[in-house]
Amino acid sequence: EIVMTQSPLSLPVTPGEPASFSCRSSQSLLHSDGNNYLDWYLQKPGQSPQLLIYWGSNRASGVPDRFSGSGSGTDFTLKISRVEAEDVGLYYCMQALRTPVTFGGGTKVEIK
Amino acid sequence: QLQPSGPGLVKPSETLSLTCSVSSGSISSYFWTWIRQPPGKGLEWIGYVDDSGYTNYNPSLKSRVTISVDTSKKHFSLRLTSVTAADTAVYYCARDSIYDNRGYTFDYWGQGALVTVSS
């Protein structure tokens, strides 16, 4: 199975400041169709995860444009241009290329 | 909406059973998926079923898991046999569109259902 590794485990952030965190996969997620099958999900406290980014860099419907995803192959990054208080929670990357679907361990974003 | 239901407490060695009701939209053209999250831990994909009954399971759970669908009642179900304390988790049902070409992407998640395995 594809192993997903996220860093850092925890990220204290200041509102209004940028934040970024990383995800690495044990195998390339680049498909022959040109898309990277890497998703990002945010799990706010006490809630179910919600889709933020698919294909590595495409924002899901309704996701604010302060969120951006980048990367290709095995290395990916999620950036928040200006963190807001509502952005706290656990961020998971997930490979959507093949089963078993696998998730990273998560990065916990909290306000300083 | 996706709404899971089922017992919140299951005894060791018994069978965990959950059902997820699809209250709006079609049950066709989706992989209906179960994902779980042990307390304080990360997410684990359990498997999915489509409207024809085709299934795909995580090899780590394959010997103990059954996911089924009832299209007339618009719900899908999870059965996990021979449970232990390690199966204590919040269980999520989720939807994955088959034809959006996004791979196994979950665009909608139901509320989680906490299931505790304890005697």
Side-chain angles (χ1 to χ4, degrees), chain B residues 4-52:
Chain B
S5 60
L9 181 64
V10 181
K11 290 182 169 56
S13 80
E14 295 190 346
T15 297
L16 178 159
S17 295
L18 292 171
T19 295
C20 187
S21 297
V22 181
S23 60
S24 62
S26 172
I27 201 162
S28 300
S29 304
Y30 295 100
F31 290 139
W32 299 102
T33 302
W34 289 98
I35 294 164
R36 69 180 183 178
Q37 184 173 36
K41 296 187 178 180
L43 298 160
E44 180 181 31
W45 178 82
I46 300 171
Y48 67 70
V49 64
D50 71 11
D51 63 316
S52 74

Side-chain angles (χ1 to χ4, degrees), chain A residues 55-109:
Chain A
W55 285 344
S57 61
N58 289 63
R59 279 188 299 277
S61 176
V63 174
D65 61 7
R66 64 179 180 275
F67 291 94
S68 63
S70 62
S72 184
T74 62
D75 290 285
F76 300 88
T77 301
L78 181 68
K79 294 181 180 179
I80 310 174
S81 59
R82 291 176 303 279
V83 173
E84 297 188 5
E86 65 182 23
D87 299 336
V88 299
L90 275 160
Y91 289 78
Y92 292 98
C93 63
M94 185 202 84
Q95 63 85 11
L97 181 62
R98 62 175 63 100
T99 61
V101 170
T102 46
F103 296 84
T107 291
K108 186 175 184 179
V109 171

Side-chain angles (χ1 to χ4, degrees), chain A residues 1 33 35 37 39 41 43 47-51 54-55 90 92 94-101 103-105, chain B residues 35 37 41-45 48 56-60 92 100-112:
Chain A
E1 70 179 41
D33 65 7
N35 294 311
Y37 284 78
D39 296 343
Y41 294 86
Q43 185 175 31
Q47 296 185 18
S48 304
Q50 59 187 86
L51 177 66
Y54 63 93
W55 285 344
L90 275 160
Y92 292 98
M94 185 202 84
Q95 63 85 11
L97 181 62
R98 62 175 63 100
T99 61
V101 170
F103 296 84
Chain B
I35 294 164
Q37 184 173 36
K41 296 187 178 180
L43 298 160
E44 180 181 31
W45 178 82
Y48 67 70
N56 189 345
Y57 301 136
N58 192 320
S60 67
Y92 295 101
D100 65 0
N101 296 317
R102 299 190 294 188
Y104 302 100
T105 289
F106 309 114
D107 62 351
Y108 197 85
W109 298 60
Q111 294 178 352

